Amino acid sequence: MSRQISTFNCKTNSVNPATFPISSWEELDEKIALASEVHRLKIWQNSTVRVAFFASLCQKLQQTKSSLKAIYMAESSLNEDRFEREFQRMIRQIKAYSKEGLTLQDEGIKEVLVDRTLEKRWIPLGPAAVFGASNFPLAYGTLGGDTIGALATGCPVIVKGHPLHAGTSTFLADIALSLLDELKLARGIFSHVLDDGFEIGQRLIQDSRINVGAFTGSLSGGTTLFQLAQDRKSPIPFFAEMGSLNPVIIGKKTSNTESFVQHLATAITEDAGQFCTKPGLILIPTEDRNVFEESLTHHLQRANPFPMLHPSIYEKYNDRLAEIEKSHCLRRFEHEKKWYADPAISLISAEEFMDSKVLHQEVFGPFACLVSYDNVAEIQQIFSCIGGQLTTSIIDFHSEAKTLADFVQNFSGRIIFNGVPTGVVVERGMHHGGPFPSTTDVRFSSVGEASLKRFIRPICIQTH
Ligand code: NAP
């Protein structure tokens, strides 16, 4: 029997009964060959076929929703409310992206010049490799934004499922595969592979038949796979969406501190802070630090406890806290329950923060670093240390807000005035990306209709 993956339920502290086979290299090779053939024969570039597939996919997902929910909750320990939000987002992405794919397919420019005609349009890049993160089993998972975005533009997709939710991933893959069979479509349009290590994923991105990669996950995973994609004989576009500190800059004498801090505490702790947009760095004027710390402490002490996605994520979080504690004072708000994350904060000065590399990278979990600053020059130095961010929030800056925004826009994909960064909506106006190290390509978004542009390229047909 092949090696198997099992998943874990942190709420019940038990291993889930089902197991899932790890893909062999032969299986991977076969799936890439099928995807390559689909691209060569342009089978999936027929828009009528795609429309029928996406419509039936939404129906099938609705019909199987309760079974999916049970697996999702057992593997991720995320609750019913979160499932519902992610499920709706997954459906919304399928509907919106399938429409956008058709628009892009029809979009073009035709210029009739004196001696020639130029016709420019978009074509799919070809077989896409998709890697999803552990924290969004649906929205960034097997049938999440990257898979649907690539499929909607006419690219066949091979998904490397996340081992921490192998059951959810396999369930979704089986729905897509059974639908391809029902509609008598080639299986190479969509495939799914699993691994408990990095070999299958790394082989996938290094294979010369793969033309584009999309990744959501950690900085180390994203940069490793990005480098492998660039080191190929023919380098390919590889879009890695990674973590971020999501700085929240608080102005002097804030008007409604109490309600904002409550909101902030929820953004830090909800779903155990396992969001790429969790506020992990809070900059407060030195004169307000004591009041602010007292208020945040009050709310963190009362925050709802959440289990982490998996014991390995829980252990990584605690290792990071231990690393921080070696050189900084750390305040933990302890929970009794096993695998439930303790919210934690560190309060330090701007100077200390700048010298502390350990705090310049995301801590995945309900931790935030509170940094007191004396002037805007210090804020600017802090950004030079941390680099690109998915988001930056500016709170109560009034007349200085624009000047600050002009500066932070060099480091940010989204600037939020008077709000918290969590809660990414799937809309045309959304941009979910940012300068490195938050992503590997600052020009693109991984959320919203614009995300489809990652999977197409222009071609010009010149006729004389
Ligand atoms: P992860 O450990 O990087 O895993 C993501 C995927 O990449 C998994 O399939 C993983 O495989 C694979 N992978 C990781 N390192 C690899 C390597 N060196 N070689 C080949 N494959 C590799 O990320 P995660 O812990 O699941 O997700 C949490 C992270 O995602 C956080 O940092 C969070 O901020 C980020 N995130 C970002 C966004 C965004 O849009 N920017 C959204 C959600 C989450 P294995 O699991 O088999 O190792």
Side-chain angles (χ1 to χ4, degrees), residues 131-136 140 160-163 195-198 201-202 215-221 224-225 241-244 275-276 313 316 362 364 390 432 438 446:
F131 302 79
S134 56
N135 60 337
F136 277 96
Y140 288 103
K160 150 70 176 62
H162 203 293
D195 195 3
D196 59 355
F198 299 149
Q202 296 193 353
F215 169 96
T216 313
S218 61
L219 178 66
S220 65
T224 303
L225 289 165
E241 303 291 330
M242 302 174 285
S244 179
F275 288 111
C276 54
I313 304 258
K316 266 190 219 159
E362 174 198 48
F364 191 57
L390 293 169
H432 191 60
S438 64
S446 65

Coordinates of all heavy atoms in Angstrom, one line a residue, residues 131-136 140 160-163 195-198 201-202 215-221 224-225 241-244 275-276 313 316 362 364 390 432 438 446, ligand 1:
F131 N -0.5 25.8 -5.4 CA -0.2 25.4 -4.0 C -1.0 26.3 -3.1 O -0.9 27.5 -3.1 CB 1.3 25.7 -3.7 CG 2.3 25.0 -4.6 CD1 2.6 25.5 -5.8 CD2 2.9 23.8 -4.2 CE1 3.5 24.9 -6.7 CE2 3.8 23.2 -5.0 CZ 4.1 23.7 -6.3
G132 N -1.9 25.7 -2.3 CA -2.7 26.4 -1.3 C -2.1 26.4 0.1 O -1.3 25.6 0.4
A133 N -2.6 27.4 0.9 CA -2.2 27.5 2.3 C -3.1 26.7 3.2 O -4.2 26.3 2.8 CB -2.2 29.0 2.7
S134 N -2.5 26.4 4.4 CA -3.3 25.6 5.4 C -4.5 26.4 5.9 O -5.5 25.7 6.3 CB -2.4 25.2 6.5 OG -1.8 26.4 7.1
N135 N -4.4 27.7 5.9 CA -5.4 28.4 6.7 C -6.7 28.8 6.0 O -7.6 29.4 6.6 CB -4.8 29.7 7.3 CG -4.3 30.7 6.3 OD1 -4.0 30.2 5.2 ND2 -4.1 31.9 6.6
F136 N -6.8 28.5 4.7 CA -8.0 28.8 3.9 C -8.3 27.5 3.1 O -8.1 27.5 1.9 CB -7.8 30.0 3.0 CG -8.1 31.3 3.7 CD1 -7.0 32.1 4.2 CD2 -9.4 31.8 3.8 CE1 -7.3 33.3 4.8 CE2 -9.6 33.0 4.5 CZ -8.6 33.8 5.0
Y140 N -8.5 29.5 -0.5 CA -7.2 29.4 -1.2 C -6.9 27.9 -1.4 O -5.7 27.6 -1.6 CB -6.1 30.0 -0.4 CG -6.1 31.5 -0.3 CD1 -6.6 32.2 0.8 CD2 -5.6 32.3 -1.4 CE1 -6.5 33.6 0.9 CE2 -5.6 33.7 -1.3 CZ -6.1 34.3 -0.2 OH -6.1 35.7 -0.1
K160 N -1.4 21.0 -5.9 CA -0.7 20.2 -4.8 C -1.6 20.5 -3.6 O -1.5 21.6 -3.0 CB 0.7 20.8 -4.7 CG 1.4 20.7 -3.4 CD 1.7 19.3 -2.9 CE 2.5 19.3 -1.6 NZ 1.8 19.9 -0.5
G161 N -2.3 19.5 -3.1 CA -3.2 19.7 -2.0 C -2.4 19.9 -0.7 O -1.3 19.4 -0.6
H162 N -3.0 20.7 0.2 CA -2.3 20.9 1.5 C -2.5 19.7 2.4 O -3.6 19.2 2.7 CB -2.8 22.1 2.2 CG -1.8 22.7 3.2 ND1 -1.4 22.0 4.3 CD2 -1.0 23.8 3.1 CE1 -0.5 22.7 4.9 NE2 -0.2 23.7 4.2
P163 N -1.4 19.1 2.9 CA -1.5 17.8 3.7 C -2.3 18.0 5.0 O -2.9 17.1 5.5 CB -0.1 17.5 4.0 CG 0.7 18.7 3.8 CD 0.0 19.5 2.8
D195 N 1.2 15.1 -1.0 CA 2.5 14.7 -0.4 C 2.6 15.1 1.0 O 1.9 16.1 1.4 CB 3.6 15.4 -1.2 CG 5.0 14.8 -1.0 OD1 5.1 13.8 -0.3 OD2 6.0 15.3 -1.6
D196 N 3.4 14.4 1.8 CA 3.6 14.8 3.2 C 4.9 15.6 3.3 O 5.4 15.9 4.4 CB 3.5 13.7 4.1 CG 4.5 12.6 3.8 OD1 5.2 12.7 2.8 OD2 4.6 11.6 4.6
G197 N 5.6 15.8 2.2 CA 6.9 16.5 2.2 C 6.9 17.5 1.0 O 5.8 17.8 0.4
F198 N 8.1 17.8 0.5 CA 8.2 18.8 -0.5 C 8.5 18.3 -1.9 O 8.5 19.0 -2.9 CB 9.3 19.8 -0.1 CG 9.0 20.6 1.2 CD1 10.1 21.0 2.0 CD2 7.7 20.8 1.6 CE1 9.8 21.7 3.1 CE2 7.5 21.5 2.7 CZ 8.5 22.0 3.5
G201 N 5.8 18.6 -4.8 CA 5.6 20.1 -5.2 C 6.8 20.6 -5.9 O 6.6 21.3 -6.9
Q202 N 7.9 20.2 -5.5 CA 9.1 20.8 -6.1 C 9.3 20.2 -7.5 O 9.7 20.9 -8.4 CB 10.4 20.5 -5.2 CG 10.2 21.3 -3.9 CD 11.5 21.3 -3.1 OE1 12.5 20.7 -3.4 NE2 11.5 22.1 -2.0
F215 N 1.0 30.3 -5.7 CA 1.2 29.8 -4.4 C 0.7 30.7 -3.3 O 0.8 31.9 -3.5 CB 2.8 29.7 -4.2 CG 3.2 29.4 -2.8 CD1 3.5 28.1 -2.4 CD2 3.4 30.5 -1.9 CE1 3.9 27.9 -1.0 CE2 3.8 30.2 -0.6 CZ 4.1 28.9 -0.2
T216 N 0.1 30.2 -2.3 CA -0.3 31.0 -1.1 C 0.3 30.2 0.1 O 0.0 29.0 0.2 CB -1.8 31.0 -0.9 OG1 -2.4 31.3 -2.1 CG2 -2.2 32.0 0.1
G217 N 1.0 30.9 0.9 CA 1.6 30.2 2.1 C 2.7 31.0 2.7 O 2.8 32.2 2.6
S218 N 3.7 30.3 3.3 CA 4.7 30.9 4.1 C 5.8 31.6 3.2 O 6.0 31.2 2.0 CB 5.4 29.9 5.0 OG 6.0 28.9 4.1
L219 N 6.6 32.4 3.8 CA 7.7 33.1 3.1 C 8.7 32.0 2.6 O 9.2 32.1 1.5 CB 8.4 34.1 4.0 CG 9.6 34.9 3.5 CD1 9.2 35.8 2.4 CD2 10.2 35.7 4.6
S220 N 9.0 31.1 3.5 CA 10.0 30.1 3.2 C 9.6 29.2 2.0 O 10.3 29.0 1.0 CB 10.5 29.2 4.4 OG 9.4 28.5 4.8
G221 N 8.3 28.7 2.1 CA 7.8 27.9 1.0 C 7.7 28.7 -0.3 O 8.1 28.2 -1.4
T224 N 11.2 29.5 -1.8 CA 11.9 28.3 -2.3 C 11.3 27.9 -3.7 O 12.1 27.7 -4.6 CB 11.7 27.1 -1.3 OG1 12.2 27.5 -0.1 CG2 12.4 25.8 -1.8
L225 N 10.0 27.8 -3.7 CA 9.4 27.4 -5.0 C 9.6 28.5 -6.1 O 9.8 28.1 -7.3 CB 7.9 27.1 -4.8 CG 7.6 25.9 -3.9 CD1 6.2 25.9 -3.5 CD2 7.9 24.6 -4.7
E241 N 2.0 34.4 -2.9 CA 1.4 35.4 -2.0 C 1.8 34.9 -0.6 O 1.4 33.8 -0.2 CB -0.1 35.4 -2.1 CG -0.6 35.7 -3.5 CD -0.3 37.1 -3.9 OE1 -0.3 38.0 -3.1 OE2 -0.1 37.3 -5.1
M242 N 2.5 35.7 0.2 CA 3.1 35.2 1.4 C 2.6 36.0 2.6 O 1.6 36.7 2.5 CB 4.6 35.2 1.3 CG 5.0 34.3 0.1 SD 6.7 34.3 -0.3 CE 7.0 35.9 -1.1
G243 N 3.2 35.8 3.7 CA 2.8 36.5 5.0 C 3.1 38.0 5.0 O 3.8 38.5 4.1
S244 N 2.7 38.6 6.1 CA 2.9 40.1 6.2 C 2.7 40.5 7.6 O 2.0 39.8 8.4 CB 1.8 40.7 5.3 OG 1.9 42.1 5.3
F275 N -4.3 34.4 9.9 CA -4.7 35.1 8.7 C -3.4 35.8 8.2 O -2.7 36.4 9.0 CB -5.7 36.2 9.0 CG -7.1 35.7 9.3 CD1 -7.6 35.8 10.6 CD2 -7.9 35.1 8.3 CE1 -8.9 35.3 10.8 CE2 -9.1 34.6 8.6 CZ -9.7 34.7 9.8
C276 N -3.3 35.9 6.9 CA -2.2 36.6 6.3 C -2.3 38.1 6.5 O -1.4 38.9 6.4 CB -2.0 36.3 4.8 SG -3.6 36.7 3.9
I313 N 1.3 23.6 13.5 CA 1.2 25.1 13.4 C 1.3 25.7 14.9 O 1.9 26.7 15.1 CB -0.2 25.5 12.8 CG1 -0.3 24.9 11.4 CG2 -0.3 27.0 12.7 CD1 0.0 25.7 10.2
K316 N 4.9 25.6 15.9 CA 5.6 26.6 15.2 C 5.4 28.0 15.9 O 6.3 28.8 16.1 CB 5.2 26.7 13.8 CG 6.1 25.9 12.8 CD 5.8 26.3 11.4 CE 5.9 25.0 10.5 NZ 5.2 25.1 9.3
E362 N 6.5 37.9 9.9 CA 5.2 37.4 10.5 C 5.4 36.4 11.5 O 6.2 35.4 11.4 CB 4.4 36.9 9.3 CG 3.1 36.2 9.7 CD 2.6 35.3 8.6 OE1 3.3 34.5 8.0 OE2 1.4 35.4 8.3
F364 N 2.9 33.7 12.8 CA 1.6 33.1 12.3 C 0.8 32.6 13.5 O 1.1 31.6 14.1 CB 1.8 32.0 11.3 CG 0.6 31.6 10.6 CD1 -0.2 32.5 9.9 CD2 0.2 30.2 10.6 CE1 -1.4 32.1 9.2 CE2 -1.0 29.8 10.0 CZ -1.7 30.7 9.2
L390 N 1.3 43.3 2.8 CA 0.1 43.2 2.1 C -0.8 44.4 2.4 O -1.5 45.0 1.5 CB -0.7 42.0 2.6 CG -0.1 40.6 2.2 CD1 -0.8 39.5 2.9 CD2 -0.2 40.4 0.7
H432 N -5.1 42.4 -3.4 CA -4.5 41.6 -2.4 C -3.1 41.2 -2.9 O -3.0 40.2 -3.7 CB -5.4 40.4 -2.1 CG -4.9 39.6 -0.8 ND1 -4.8 40.2 0.4 CD2 -4.5 38.4 -0.6 CE1 -4.4 39.4 1.3 NE2 -4.2 38.2 0.7
S438 N 6.0 40.4 0.8 CA 4.6 39.9 1.0 C 4.2 39.1 -0.3 O 3.4 38.2 -0.2 CB 3.7 41.1 1.2 OG 3.6 42.0 0.1
S446 N -3.9 38.5 -5.8 CA -4.4 37.1 -5.8 C -5.8 37.0 -5.5 O -6.4 35.9 -5.4 CB -3.5 36.3 -4.8 OG -3.8 36.7 -3.5
Ligands
NAP1 P1 3.3 26.7 3.9 O1 3.8 25.8 4.9 O2 4.2 27.5 3.1 O3 2.5 25.7 2.9 C1 1.9 26.1 1.6 C2 2.1 25.0 0.6 O4 3.5 25.0 0.1 C3 2.0 23.5 1.1 O5 1.4 22.8 0.1 C4 3.4 23.2 1.4 O6 3.6 21.8 1.4 C5 4.1 23.8 0.3 N1 5.5 24.1 0.7 C6 6.0 24.8 1.7 N2 7.3 24.9 1.7 C7 7.7 24.2 0.6 C8 9.0 24.0 0.0 N3 10.1 24.4 0.6 N4 9.0 23.2 -1.1 C9 7.9 22.8 -1.7 N5 6.7 23.0 -1.2 C10 6.6 23.7 -0.1 O7 2.2 27.7 4.4 P2 1.0 27.4 5.4 O8 1.6 27.2 6.8 O9 0.1 26.3 4.9 O10 0.1 28.7 5.4 C11 0.3 29.8 6.3 C12 1.1 30.9 5.7 O11 0.3 31.3 4.5 C13 1.1 32.1 6.6 O12 2.4 32.7 6.4 C14 0.1 33.1 6.0 O13 0.3 34.4 6.2 C15 0.2 32.7 4.5 N6 -1.0 33.1 3.8 C16 -0.9 34.1 2.8 C17 -2.0 34.5 2.1 C18 -1.9 35.6 1.1 O14 -2.8 35.8 0.3 N7 -0.8 36.4 1.0 C19 -3.2 33.9 2.4 C20 -3.3 32.9 3.3 C21 -2.2 32.5 4.0 P3 3.7 20.9 2.8 O15 2.6 21.3 3.6 O16 3.7 19.5 2.3 O17 4.9 21.4 3.5

